[in-house]
Amino acid sequence: MVKSMTGYGRGEQAFDDGVQITVELRAVNNRYLDCTVKMPRAYIFAEEAMKARVQAGAARGKVDVFVTITRSGGDDMVVTVNEELARSYVQAFKQLHKLGGGSVKEKYCATDLARFPDVLTVEKREEDLDEMKGRLLAALDLAIADFNSMREREGERLCADILGRAEAIEALLGEIEARSPQTVNDYRARLEAKMREVLQNTQIDEGRLVTEAAIFADKVAVDEETVRLHSHLGQLRELLGAGGAVGRKLDFLIQEFNREANTIGSKCSDMEITRRVVDMKAEIEKIREQVQNLE
């Protein structure tokens, strides 16, 4: 399956402990694969693993990965009691009770102790890094699947357009092939007439004259170019049918299309063939633009 380089995908997973991970992928055209991951700094340890997962699913394009992590409730926070400090406060209260007589209360509530500095501390619960990496990759896999699905749909549309234009080129090529023999004959006849006119007062072998005219006339024949173009069209269909990352190969192949079309145009002075070459080059250019979007 041929894919487009451009696309968007989204993956979302919610876990029982209130963690929700959302991963979004966005890609635009690029000559090579360039992947950037944007995520909370605390989870940067998973960046390389996520890049490797993206690289396994995409061959070309500038891919941006956006990671959002949210938590519901306070499950990620833990409250700890500094027992030694609390006992020290209690002991200090007892001493104050002795010093103050009955003016200082002897019983102490937990809320009294909680008000003092550093008795209670609220800290972020320590995470299992391997588990978190697995969660991130699971959400990323969903996003990649959605991303590739969109790219495949776009790739199908691009392939259909390219194949339609290939048929148009083939039809134009057939018209050029049908017209070419007559063009060669006309050119040979004009060349013979011109040579006779120039050499009318000179003794020259008739057979030699005809042979020389035929040699020069063959230079305007485009049989070799049309055969190569037919071959290139076959290669184009084969590459699209094989699927995979064929964009770069197709880019080189389209250069060969242009080379053959230019040669045909430079060889022929026939207006009908020239018009068809111009139409053919227009179709080739449109294919080139579409190929730029393929992976």
Side-chain angles (χ1 to χ4, degrees):
M1 178 69 69
V2 175
K3 301 185 184 76
S4 168
M5 264 193 286
T6 60
Y8 172 83
R10 178 185 174 92
E12 191 172 87
Q13 280 216 326
F15 300 91
D16 294 338
D17 57 359
V19 176
Q20 182 168 320
I21 300 175
T22 303
V23 178
E24 294 175 285
L25 274 74
R26 183 183 63 200
V28 295
N29 294 354
N30 198 49
R31 190 173 181 183
Y32 304 103
L33 179 63
D34 179 14
C35 179
T36 303
V37 180
K38 298 178 182 179
M39 61 195 306
R41 191 172 185 82
Y43 303 101
I44 204 74
F45 63 88
E47 181 179 2
E48 288 306 316
M50 296 184 77
K51 282 185 177 181
R53 193 66 60 92
V54 171
Q55 289 168 358
R60 286 205 302 167
K62 188 180 186 312
V63 184
D64 290 317
V65 182
F66 303 93
V67 180
T68 304
I69 302 172
T70 58
R71 299 176 183 272
S72 60
D75 291 343
D76 60 329
M77 307 302 290
V78 60
V79 179
T80 58
V81 179
N82 189 331
E83 294 184 8
E84 291 299 323
L85 183 59
R87 289 192 184 96
S88 297
Y89 278 124
V90 170
Q91 188 61 36
F93 291 157
K94 290 179 179 179
Q95 292 178 359
L96 289 172
H97 178 71
K98 290 177 182 179
L99 291 173
S103 60
V104 180
K105 65 181 180 179
E106 188 175 3
K107 294 183 179 180
Y108 318 103
C109 298
T111 53
D112 294 332
L113 290 172
R115 293 191 184 98
F116 289 92
D118 301 325
V119 173
L120 298 179
T121 56
V122 181
E123 298 176 339
K124 188 176 180 64
R125 189 186 302 277
E126 186 175 347
E127 289 185 309
D128 185 330
L129 298 185
D130 289 335
E131 180 186 18
M132 194 60 189
K133 182 190 290 186
R135 290 179 172 186
L136 288 165
L137 291 176
L140 176 61
D141 285 340
L142 293 176
I144 290 174
D146 188 40
F147 172 65
N148 282 333
S149 178
M150 179 177 179
R151 294 199 302 144
E152 286 174 3
R153 291 194 300 271
E154 180 66 11
E156 286 180 6
R157 188 189 68 77
L158 291 172
C159 281
D161 185 73
I162 290 171
L163 290 173
R165 297 189 185 283
E167 289 181 4
I169 291 171
E170 204 160 42
L172 291 166
L173 197 54
E175 293 175 12
I176 290 172
E177 288 174 317
R179 178 72 180 167
S180 180
Q182 182 61 42
T183 302
V184 173
N185 290 335
D186 291 346
Y187 180 79
R188 183 182 301 165
R190 290 197 304 271
L191 187 60
E192 280 188 39
K194 190 67 174 178
M195 291 172 70
R196 290 180 191 281
E197 181 182 341
V198 172
L199 302 172
Q200 60 183 343
N201 296 322
T202 306
Q203 292 289 335
I204 187 168
D205 180 63
E206 184 72 17
R208 178 66 182 277
L209 180 66
V210 173
T211 301
E212 291 296 329
I215 291 172
F216 279 99
D218 280 343
K219 293 183 178 180
V220 302
V222 294
D223 296 354
E224 292 181 11
E225 289 75 16
T226 57
V227 168
R228 281 196 290 268
L229 265 175
H230 279 298
S231 175
H232 296 336
L233 286 165
Q235 286 181 275
L236 176 72
R237 293 188 176 101
E238 285 178 11
L239 286 171
L240 291 176
V246 297
R248 198 169 297 167
K249 290 181 181 178
L250 287 172
D251 196 29
F252 290 127
L253 184 60
I254 296 305
Q255 293 179 33
E256 296 302 316
F257 272 73
N258 270 316
R259 185 173 291 111
E260 303 302 339
N262 287 334
T263 303
I264 293 173
S266 64
K267 278 188 172 185
C268 294
S269 57
D270 181 75
M271 289 303 299
E272 290 300 320
I273 290 182
T274 300
R275 289 193 187 95
R276 285 160 178 77
V277 168
V278 170
D279 291 341
M280 188 162 60
K281 289 180 68 174
E283 294 296 334
I284 292 171
E285 177 60 21
K286 289 172 184 175
I287 290 178
R288 189 193 67 79
E289 291 173 358
Q290 297 292 44
V291 164
Q292 299 297 316
N293 296 316
L294 291 178
E295 182 180 64

